Amino acid sequence: SGGRGSRQDHIGRIISKVSGSETGLAVNNNASAIMLGLSAVTPSGGPTEVIVSRGEGVEIGGGFRIPDVLRQSGATLVEVGTTNRTYVRDYASAINENTAAILKVHPSNFRVMGFTHEAALKELVTLGRERGIPVLNDLGSGCLLDTTQYGLAPEPTVQQSVDAGVELSFFSGDKLIGGPQAGIVAGHAEWVERLSRHPLARAVRIDKMGLAALSATLTSFLKEKAHEEIPVWKMISMPLDKISETAETWSREINSPVIQLRTGNSTVGGGSLPGEVIPTTLLEIGRATSELQSLVNLVCRLLLEKKNKQH
């Protein structure tokens, strides 16, 4: 048509297909996505209060804290409930004429156990619609697959957030998505459009290489090939016998008395699935200074040979 295009058009359609949302938006990381979202729903001169459970004022890596981001965006933090138990009635009692949004935050890098309760997303969405207030959901690491099929604890998925009717869902493009560092927003077209037109959107927009990598990653989920093409899911889904076979091959190649095989566990890592482990087979290196140095040299040589063969 000769008109100027937007780098968000294509990624928006892919986010929509993979999450089930009306549309989507990508920025440079999830902290930026949340900052943009909060800034857009609390415009100057309008309502500024954002309600958050006291148990969800979390901090992730690098000192990124939800209360600090709220203040920086111009929003006013309203904490409700307690650290371990928050009910939908706590949110309801905090709503007034200055309430701009309800924000739910998934504690993806820690776990509170025991005497706990949290308001369900559907409860919050119902409350939000009754009072005319949008519900925002920060999923943190983000997940598009059912983790229970790998023997892991259930991780809330992006699709579940969208299905619950949340206006805006925020999550990372790396971590459990397995792509480049990025922040992804999935949600209702009306709200995503508001974010895309906000002045802050250009300051936090994703670069073209990151956009290409994110598109390729999300396309793997659409093709149902995440287990074959995305490293984090290839590792999570790898059968124990395959891991053992690899460990045995390395043991034979190294052929050193300071090496022995034993069973163990691997953590998923990346600020995701806290406390969850996957069974694995370990190459245990014994104590022997001269042998250890020779072993390190051998391993480096084998890795280099493997890399050269791949090229």
Side-chain angles (χ1 to χ4, degrees), residues 45-68:
T48 62
E49 292 184 357
V50 176
I51 304 173
V52 182
S53 167
R54 187 164 277 106
E56 296 177 2
V58 306
E59 176 181 330
I60 64 170
F64 169 74
R65 293 180 171 184
I66 288 295
D68 293 343

Side-chain angles (χ1 to χ4, degrees), residues 1 20 31 63 76 82 127 138 155 193-194 197 199 232 243 254 290 294 306:
S1 65
T76 302
T82 63
L127 174 64
D138 174 15
E155 180 76 1
E193 178 67 15
R194 186 179 297 193
R197 292 187 178 279
V232 64
I243 299 172
I254 294 169
S290 60
S294 299
K306 183 178 181 181

